[in-house]
Amino acid sequence: MKKMVSFVTALVLCASSSLPVFAATPKYSISMPKIPQIHVELSDSVKEAVNQAAKKQIEKMILDKPELTSTTYRHKGKIYGTYSFLKIEWGEVEGATSYKVEITKPDGTKKTYETSNAYLSVKEGSDDFITECPKQKTENGVECATVRVRAYGEDETYSAWSEEECISCNAIHS
């Protein structure tokens, strides 16, 4: 009997402490505004202008895509000092008069270089963007900087960007 009285008392205490909470809590409801569906129809003249601009860009992208052959950052040590440099090489593109080389560091910062040769060499101290091996150690491993190249020719012709490649870092001590 004592157990039954204890059980009923505990049940009454639980019910009496939780029921007022449910009674005092208002129902939470949000009335959401109706958002109309928007449909934009371009006029025929705008569609034609977009098509002409796209055709013009495609006609200008006639040069072959450059292929990277070497992307290396070298650190050389000598008896009288050290020096470092970044060297990027690619196959020459027929009809190209210049190239743009875009380097992206692991932190997302980018810099574009322009050259008329089928290579780019950046020496330590001549540029504030490339000051050391562009690899960064992270908690997930080592992330490298990437490079890609685009060729430009006469009459505003150009190529597609080359495939992105990772810049390797070599330490050579002589």
Side-chain angles (χ1 to χ4, degrees), residues 10-129:
L11 188 64
V12 169
L13 283 173
C14 287
S16 66
S17 65
S18 62
L19 285 178
V21 171
F22 290 118
T25 306
K27 185 178 177 187
Y28 186 68
S29 66
I30 299 174
S31 60
M32 294 296 292
K34 283 277 191 187
I35 301 174
Q37 192 169 8
I38 299 171
H39 180 71
V40 176
E41 184 67 34
L42 299 176
S43 67
D44 290 337
S45 61
V46 171
K47 288 180 185 176
E48 183 61 29
V50 169
N51 285 337
Q52 290 300 324
K55 284 180 186 177
K56 188 175 182 181
Q57 289 297 357
I58 290 171
E59 289 170 359
K60 288 184 177 189
M61 193 166 53
I62 60 171
L63 298 177
D64 292 334
K65 180 165 61 170
E67 289 188 34
L68 291 163
T69 56
S70 173
T71 58
T72 307
Y73 180 86
R74 294 193 186 269
H75 175 75
K76 292 189 176 187
K78 290 196 166 210
I79 297 171
Y80 299 108
T82 61
Y83 67 97
S84 303
F85 64 94
L86 172 69
K87 185 150 188 188
I88 301 167
E89 297 174 314
W90 57 90
E92 199 167 324
V93 175
E94 186 178 335
T97 57
S98 67
Y99 300 91
K100 284 192 178 175
V101 181
E102 183 182 81
I103 299 173
T104 306
K105 288 186 177 179
D107 65 3
T109 57
K110 294 182 181 189
K111 183 163 183 181
T112 304
Y113 297 89
E114 198 165 329
T115 180
S116 58
N117 304 312
Y119 66 90
L120 174 71
S121 183
V122 181
K123 293 176 180 52
E124 179 183 41
S126 66
D127 185 80
D128 59 346
F129 187 72

